[in-house]
Amino acid sequence: MIHPNRRHLVRTRELLAQDMGMAMGTFGNKKPYAAEGFPAPVSSEGARVLLWDGEQTTAYLAGEPVPALPPMEGPEVLLDRQEAAASLDVGPRTWDGYKADSELTRHLVDVCGVEHWPRGAVLAFKDARPGKGSAAGRPKGRANAVPRGELRPRVAALLDASPAITIADVRGALKVAPATAQRVLSQIRGERIAALMKTGLSFDQAADRLGYPAAVRRGARNVAESGA
């Protein structure tokens, strides 16, 4: 979590290396941030990019007491991908689908190249997101939550993040009907496999290269072989 008033203090690995007068290769090998007493990252556990509070790291490097961070309370506190997902009780891959919603994209905050969202925006989306409190299937007569023109790009983004993504994962992220999730997943997987088959690979070789497990290939085979 990052306090909104401390965005300008955030340090990345690269900035820390500069602060310490180290080349990035040396910094990467020595990992000085792993030393005992070094301030903990302000990024979440498991974050792809580590971030630190610059006031804390400056104090540590100067041999001074490391100041405490202010309380991380209030709706303006910035959450990264993992923290936002945890706030909604979903996994990061599901959040990757949610974050394309306009109610979240308009609140997106870039912190040193890392996406963050204000806690208030995330919780507001949690309360209002499509399908909240509904049964597992799509209610009768209800349209898909994602506009038709946005569906393929958003499923493609989920597939890029997780080649083995399932129909249930897509439903959870985008709140679409099972048949819709299956159809679009099969189409995109099949088209991508077909493109590789044109280079001389077999269907299974292409699917292996793309990281698609055997259990999800069935629906893509007809699409791929008709387009190869």
Side-chain angles (χ1 to χ4, degrees), residues 41-186:
V42 293
S43 47
S44 62
E45 183 177 354
R48 296 167 178 171
V49 179
L50 293 178
L51 302 173
W52 290 265
D53 181 89
E55 184 180 22
Q56 289 191 322
T57 58
T58 297
Y60 174 85
L61 295 175
E64 300 172 355
V66 175
L69 294 174
M72 294 298 176
E73 301 172 351
E76 299 304 317
V77 169
L78 299 174
L79 310 181
D80 66 14
R81 175 177 179 256
Q82 284 85 350
E83 292 161 343
S87 295
L88 269 63
D89 299 318
V90 300
R93 291 176 181 170
T94 299
W95 173 258
D96 289 340
Y98 284 163
K99 72 178 185 179
D101 190 282
S102 61
E103 290 303 309
L104 291 170
T105 56
R106 66 192 182 95
H107 292 289
L108 177 65
V109 177
D110 183 294
V111 181
C112 294
V114 180
E115 294 179 334
H116 285 74
W117 297 263
R119 178 190 281 134
V122 174
L123 296 181
F125 178 79
K126 178 179 183 178
D127 292 337
R129 72 186 187 270
K132 182 180 182 294
S134 64
R138 185 181 65 180
K140 184 177 180 180
R142 180 171 179 170
N144 284 319
V146 180
R148 185 182 299 273
E150 297 179 17
L151 183 57
R152 274 184 60 97
R154 290 176 67 172
V155 174
L158 291 172
L159 192 57
D160 290 338
S162 175
I165 194 168
T166 66
I167 294 169
D169 291 333
V170 173
R171 287 183 60 205
L174 304 182
K175 301 304 176 190
V176 295
T180 300
Q182 180 179 27
R183 172 177 55 79
V184 179
L185 269 177
S186 295

Side-chain angles (χ1 to χ4, degrees), residues 179-219:
T180 300
Q182 180 179 27
R183 172 177 55 79
V184 179
L185 269 177
S186 295
Q187 287 177 346
I188 297 175
R189 281 194 173 111
E191 291 165 4
R192 293 180 177 182
I193 291 171
L196 283 181
M197 289 173 67
K198 291 179 179 177
T199 68
L201 298 179
S202 69
F203 174 87
D204 286 327
Q205 288 171 333
D208 285 341
R209 181 170 296 185
L210 290 165
Y212 301 158
V216 303
R217 297 179 189 180
R218 183 176 178 181

